[in-house]
Amino acid sequence: MVRTWDIFCSVVDNFGDIGVCWRLARQLSSELGQSVRLWVDDLASFHRLCRAVNPARTSQFIDAVEVRHWYVTFQQVEPADIVIEGFGVRLPAAYVEAMAARLPHPVWINLEYLSAESWIDGCHGLPSPHPSLPLVKYFFFPGFTSASGGLLMESGLAQARETFQSDPAAMAVFWHALGLALPDGGALRVSLFCYDNAALPALVEAWCSDPLPVVCIVPEGAALAQLSRIANQRIEPGSCLKLGGLTIAAIPFLDMEHYDRLLWACDLNFVRGEDSFLRAQLAARPLVWQAYPQEESAHLRKTSAFLERYASALDSAAGPVFCAFTRAWNRESTDVGRHWTALRFHRKSLSAHARCWAGKLAASGSLAIKLAEFCEDRLK
Ligand code: TRH
C-alpha cells in the first residue's frame, strides 16, 4: 500500500545522518513505491553527497523524493501517514500537535543509530507514549540480527558491486576519472576516511617504511587535513605525495555513488561513524572502523560489540591481529604502527572473510522493508 512519509533530518555535524536518511528515503520511494518527503536543515552538506541537490531551493524532487529545506521557522503542512525522526531530532512543536489532531494518528518512529550491541534487540520496536498528547513514538534500531531493524541495503547492490569488482576495465576507468594513475598492481590500495586520530602519525610512519608499497587514497576532509599536518605541507585534492613507500593520493570529496566505488576498488578501507562503516562491509573488502568518539568511551564498547560479531569467524591467527589493530585505532594508540605489518600480512584471510561477511549481512533483513512492514502493521 502506498503511504505518505515525512522523514526529518538534522545534519548537526558530519555526513552520517543525512547519508542514512537519504538512502532510506530513496529506497522507500524507488523500491517500495512510497510517497516520501525528506526534510533537511542543511542542504549544502546534502549536496556534497548528492550533486543533484540544489542548496538554494526550498523544495525539489530528486529520484521521486520530495526534498524540503527545513528552516528554523517551520511552515506548517499536513503530517504524513508515517513520520520518521532521524536520530532523535526534535520535531517542530506545531507539526507534533498536527500529528495529534490527525486521525488516524501517524505512526511515529525514532530511527536510532546502527549498533552491534546485543541490548538493541530488546529495545527495537518499543513504544514510548507521548507525555501529554495521544501519540506513541516507536524506537527503531538498525542492527546485525534478525531481531533488530536490519540494515540499509538497496536491492541489486551486491550484483552491481560484483560486476564492478570483476571488471578490470571498469576499475581502470574509475581510477582514471579520479585523476589517478592505476595504482601499481603490487601496491596495497587503502582508502582513508577517519576523524582526527592521534594514532595516524604512527600509521603513516609504518606505511612509509613498509617494503610493500601503500597507496593511500584520501577524500578531502579531516583525514586529509591531518595528513597535511603530518607531512608538514598542504596536500591539495588532485595531488599526490610520496613519502618513502607511501603514496598519498588526495582526491575531492566524492558523491555517494563514487564513494561506494572507491570502497569497492580498494584492498582495505578505513571508515568511520555509521554509514561509511556499513558501506565498507557491503563492499566485501576488509575494513578498519573508527567509531564516532563519544563520552565515557561508549564508542569503545560499540567497537568491541562489532568486533565480537565480525571477528568471531576470522581464523585464529588473523582474528586477534584484526581486533588488536581496530582497538588501537579507536583508542588512538600508537600501537597501530606496531600492528600494521601483522594486519597486512593477514590480508588474504581478511579479504576472504570480508566477502563472506558481506554475503551474511542480508540475514539481518532490509531496514527499509522491515520499517515499512512495522509501520503498516500499526496503521491497519
Ligand atoms: O560523517 P560521519 O562521521 O557521520 C557521523 C556518524 O553518522 C555518527 O554516527 C553520527 O553520530 C555523527 O556523524 C554525528 O560518518 P558516516 O556515518 O560514515 O557518514 C559519512 C557519509 O559520507 C557516508 O554516507 C559516506 C559519505 N561519503 C561520501 O559520500 N563521499 C566521500 O568522499 C566520503 C569520504 C564519505
Side-chain angles (χ1 to χ4, degrees):
M1 176 143 194
V2 179
R3 299 289 187 182
T4 56
W5 297 64
D6 271 328
I7 302 178
F8 287 86
C9 177
S10 172
V11 171
V12 188
D13 58 1
N14 303 329
F15 300 98
D17 295 354
I18 181 58
V20 169
C21 289
W22 171 235
R23 284 190 205 286
L24 173 63
R26 200 170 48 174
Q27 201 182 347
L28 286 169
S29 166
S30 64
E31 291 183 26
L32 305 182
Q34 302 297 296
S35 172
V36 185
R37 195 159 52 179
L38 173 62
W39 298 87
V40 185
D41 63 354
D42 176 359
L43 292 178
S45 293
F46 188 7
H47 170 80
R48 298 194 71 196
L49 303 184
C50 174
R51 302 292 194 262
V53 173
N54 180 344
R57 297 193 65 168
T58 53
S59 172
Q60 56 200 303
F61 277 86
I62 301 165
D63 293 350
V65 173
E66 183 181 354
V67 175
R68 297 283 288 264
H69 194 169
W70 177 13
Y71 292 103
V72 180
T73 41
F74 186 73
Q75 204 192 345
Q76 190 56 339
V77 291
E78 171 71 13
D81 300 324
I82 299 165
V83 179
I84 311 286
E85 56 175 56
F87 317 108
V89 65
R90 185 185 279 269
L91 300 186
Y95 185 88
V96 175
E97 273 159 30
M99 283 166 69
R102 181 192 193 276
L103 289 174
H105 300 311
V107 177
W108 184 2
I109 301 283
N110 178 17
L111 177 64
E112 292 284 349
Y113 287 109
L114 169 63
S115 171
E117 292 163 295
S118 52
W119 62 263
I120 64 144
D121 287 354
C123 296
H124 171 60
L126 288 184
S128 164
H130 192 280
S132 54
L133 296 170
L135 291 170
V136 177
K137 177 155 68 178
Y138 295 92
F139 293 96
F140 200 92
F141 281 88
F144 293 90
T145 65
S146 55
S148 73
L151 297 167
L152 264 180
M153 305 173 273
E154 314 87 277
S155 68
L157 179 70
Q159 184 58 53
R161 185 202 73 221
E162 284 287 339
T163 308
F164 180 80
Q165 288 178 334
S166 55
D167 182 353
M171 209 93 92
V173 169
F174 173 73
W175 291 123
H176 186 76
L178 285 184
L180 299 174
L182 192 62
D184 170 350
L188 197 71
R189 290 154 302 182
V190 178
S191 78
L192 182 66
F193 181 45
C194 62
Y195 304 110
D196 233 31
N197 191 320
L200 188 57
L203 184 57
V204 167
E205 207 179 304
W207 283 341
C208 290
S209 54
D210 193 332
L212 178 73
V214 173
V215 179
C216 174
I217 301 128
V218 201
E220 193 175 5
L224 185 59
Q226 197 186 352
L227 283 175
S228 294
R229 292 196 297 277
I230 293 168
N232 213 8
Q233 59 182 286
R234 201 176 156 81
I235 314 171
E236 296 289 348
S239 70
C240 273
L241 179 68
K242 269 190 89 59
L243 298 170
L246 169 67
T247 305
I248 297 172
I251 59 171
F253 192 88
L254 302 173
D255 66 21
M256 277 176 154
E257 276 62 43
H258 287 93
Y259 184 62
D260 261 347
R261 275 170 182 69
L262 179 66
L263 298 174
W264 299 350
C266 286
D267 303 306
L268 172 66
N269 295 302
F270 282 74
V271 287
R272 72 184 204 189
E274 170 165 4
D275 195 45
S276 59
F277 167 53
L278 178 58
R279 300 311 284 186
Q281 293 170 62
L282 293 166
R285 292 283 161 99
L287 72 147
V288 175
W289 177 43
Q290 184 181 13
Y292 184 71
Q294 285 175 301
E295 280 169 15
E296 295 173 0
S297 301
H299 60 295
L300 298 184
R301 287 195 292 281
K302 287 187 174 169
T303 312
S304 291
F306 172 67
L307 288 176
E308 253 169 57
R309 289 189 197 281
Y310 186 85
S312 61
L314 265 167
D315 66 57
S316 58
V321 167
F322 176 76
C323 291
F325 189 94
T326 305
R327 287 209 166 91
W329 185 240
N330 278 277
R331 283 198 325 269
E332 304 192 33
S333 152
T334 51
D335 286 350
V336 290
R338 197 162 53 80
H339 294 310
W340 167 251
T341 318
L343 185 82
R344 65 100 165 136
F345 176 80
H346 289 289
R347 62 189 186 282
K348 281 215 173 86
S349 335
L350 292 169
S351 299
H353 176 64
R355 287 190 71 74
C356 190
W357 176 261
K360 285 187 192 152
L361 289 176
S364 31
S366 153
L367 187 147
I369 295 175
K370 281 185 154 183
L371 179 61
E373 286 172 357
F374 182 92
C375 295
E376 196 57 44
D377 284 349
R378 274 143 197 92
L379 279 167
K380 276 179 195 153

